[in-house]
Amino acid sequence: MSTPALAPQRPRTRISWLRVLVVLVCTVAVSWGGYRTVSAAVTQLDEPDPAVFAAYVDVTAWPPYPFETPSGPEEANVVLSFVVADPERGCAPSWGGYYSLDEAASEIELDRRVSQLRLTGGQARVSFGGQLGTELGTACTDTEDLVDAYQEVIDRYELTSIDLDLEGATLQDVEGSERRAEAIRQIQEEAAAADESLAVWLTLPVAPTGLTAEGLAAVTTMLAAGVDVAGVNGMTMDFGVVTSESAPLSDVVVEASKALHGQVRAAFADAGQSLSENDAWAKVGITPMIGQSDVATEVFTVEDAEVVNQFAQDVAVGQVAMWSLNRDSTCTAPLPTVLTVVQTSCSGIDQGASRFAEVLSADLASRPAVPAPESAPSASPAVVPAPSTGPAGEVVDDPETSPFPIWDPLGTYPGGTKIVWQKQVYQARYWTSGVTPGAAGAGGDAPWTLVGPVLPGDTPAPLPTLPEGTYPAWDPEEPYTAGTRVLLDGVPYEAKWWSQGQEPGTPVQGGSPWVLIHPGA
């Protein structure tokens, strides 16, 4: 006998509070994740740009720093310093009061070197002012004259960014500050009308509490005049503190930078330009003085540089700089390694194998703060023409447009001699002969240093001369053998091989039998 079938019943649902809790947690998590995704897409959170590294170069210091041939990306963006008023011509720009712009082109090859830097992919800014000399805003008592003075420099070097280093007596000159602000506003407006731009950084002294009252006034004056201020660069140096391993200078630099950040944000807000915290940091620059500072008790070490670099990354400052590339090495004999007196060509501390530029720029952008213009080439010294080529594709040098004699493989060249080879200007580091410019000599050491390209408008430099009677005058009827020396119009030449009737200095097919004698050869 079987058990009779029962009518089916609805199964009873049993609630698991644990499962309910899991479902609720998952629902909240999914909802929060979706909210975060949508919120990020809608609000587009402000992501700061990486900081830019730019190192100052003292253009008038000796020995000259070869910024035109950067050793690495940390040297690709330089700030050339300083343009001040010419002490003899008042409202006229000069480099350090030593060179007019034309003199800088001829005596320190500045136009050519800037062009060479740009050929490597680097960029140059110019800094006006500095600790010494008279800033143009003070020297030029007429605003239009001041506009012309600034514009002359901007045009000459085709600048898209400048630095105004305002310190000392310059900050005390209220009228000069107002003229400077008005002039810069006009220059920026004219640039904008031409579909160009000019970024303007203000470099000012700071204390641990931030800008001085005069420095803050300089910022507010610029903003009140309508100047588009790219950023405020704090000179985080010369605080007058005593540094040690337990009290490193980097602590003071960070403290001063934080104070500067607050002042910048407040100053822009007062001018009607509200900045987020990130935006305000993007308008802050940090510039330490590497090694021994002007204060005997104050030293900025490589370890300090590491701390400042990490801080700059953490807050994404607009710019990290340093004073200066000229000083980024350990002092060598006859100077001692460690000094308490500032040197222009070394840091005054034992850096070992480290370089401040590499440490401060690590993981920062070395790109220019403002892209170079993409306009058509102009006739300014910064624009380099395409080299002429011969039948075999080789570059042909023209003595009529070469600023120095064309290199001759049989010539002898004392140290310091400048020549042209394949549309490039080279300078001999020491006495050399037979080594092609750009090639390594005996032992792998290159005797030639690249200065920069031949520029539009270049003309031959005056040839060296010697007193009449130093060598016999060249005679077209006289046969000459190799090694014979003669004078033609006071210019000395040496015979490379036998010749007769071939005038020295005159190009001929197959090469001249004469080579120019350079002073000291």
Side-chain angles (χ1 to χ4, degrees), residues 67-152:
F67 69 85
E68 65 275 11
T69 52
S71 61
E74 67 278 1
E75 295 186 8
N77 194 14
V78 297
V79 186
L80 305 180
S81 311
F82 290 102
V83 168
V84 297
D86 190 311
E88 296 182 356
R89 295 192 297 147
C91 185
S94 74
W95 284 99
Y98 301 109
Y99 308 100
S100 68
L101 303 191
D102 287 342
E103 288 169 342
S106 61
E107 297 186 33
I108 58 175
E109 297 285 354
L110 191 56
D111 291 7
R112 197 179 316 281
R113 293 163 66 195
V114 170
S115 295
Q116 177 58 34
L117 173 67
R118 288 173 175 158
L119 287 174
T120 69
Q123 187 56 281
R125 273 185 277 168
V126 168
S127 183
F128 295 83
Q131 185 179 24
L132 303 176
T134 303
E135 207 280 323
L136 288 167
T138 295
C140 302
T141 57
D142 180 80
T143 301
E144 293 307 312
D145 290 342
L146 180 57
V147 169
D148 292 342
Y150 283 134
Q151 195 69 57
E152 182 180 357

Side-chain angles (χ1 to χ4, degrees), residues 38 60 137 148 198 261 407 440 486 508:
V38 173
T60 61
D148 292 342
L198 180 70
H261 169 261
W407 176 76
V486 299
V508 295

Side-chain angles (χ1 to χ4, degrees), residues 17-34:
W17 295 109
L18 177 60
R19 291 179 180 177
V20 170
L21 180 61
V22 171
V23 169
L24 288 174
V25 170
C26 291
T27 302
V28 171
V30 170
S31 300
W32 174 248

Side-chain angles (χ1 to χ4, degrees), residues 316-362:
V317 299
Q319 174 179 282
V320 177
M322 72 177 206
W323 182 264
S324 61
L325 280 179
N326 311 64
R327 305 180 65 248
D328 196 5
S329 62
T330 301
C331 299
T332 57
L335 294 173
T337 300
V338 178
L339 292 159
T340 56
V341 178
V342 173
Q343 301 295 310
T344 58
S345 60
C346 56
S347 66
I349 68 171
D350 188 356
Q351 300 178 207
S354 299
R355 294 189 65 239
F356 280 98
E358 291 181 353
V359 176
L360 284 169
S361 68

Side-chain angles (χ1 to χ4, degrees), residues 213-290:
E214 294 83 359
L216 185 57
V219 176
T220 56
T221 299
M222 283 284 177
L223 293 173
V227 174
D228 183 3
V229 177
V232 181
N233 179 33
M235 286 186 277
T236 50
M237 60 185 78
D238 296 345
F239 296 108
V241 299
V242 179
T243 58
S244 63
E245 289 187 7
S246 59
L249 188 54
S250 52
D251 287 352
V252 187
V253 171
V254 169
E255 180 184 358
S257 300
K258 290 179 178 178
L260 174 59
H261 169 261
Q263 290 174 308
V264 166
R265 194 173 184 185
F268 274 80
D270 290 343
Q273 303 178 48
S274 179
L275 299 177
S276 68
E277 183 172 346
N278 284 343
D279 289 340
W281 274 121
K283 289 186 176 293
V284 169
I286 304 175
T287 302
M289 184 174 185
I290 61 175

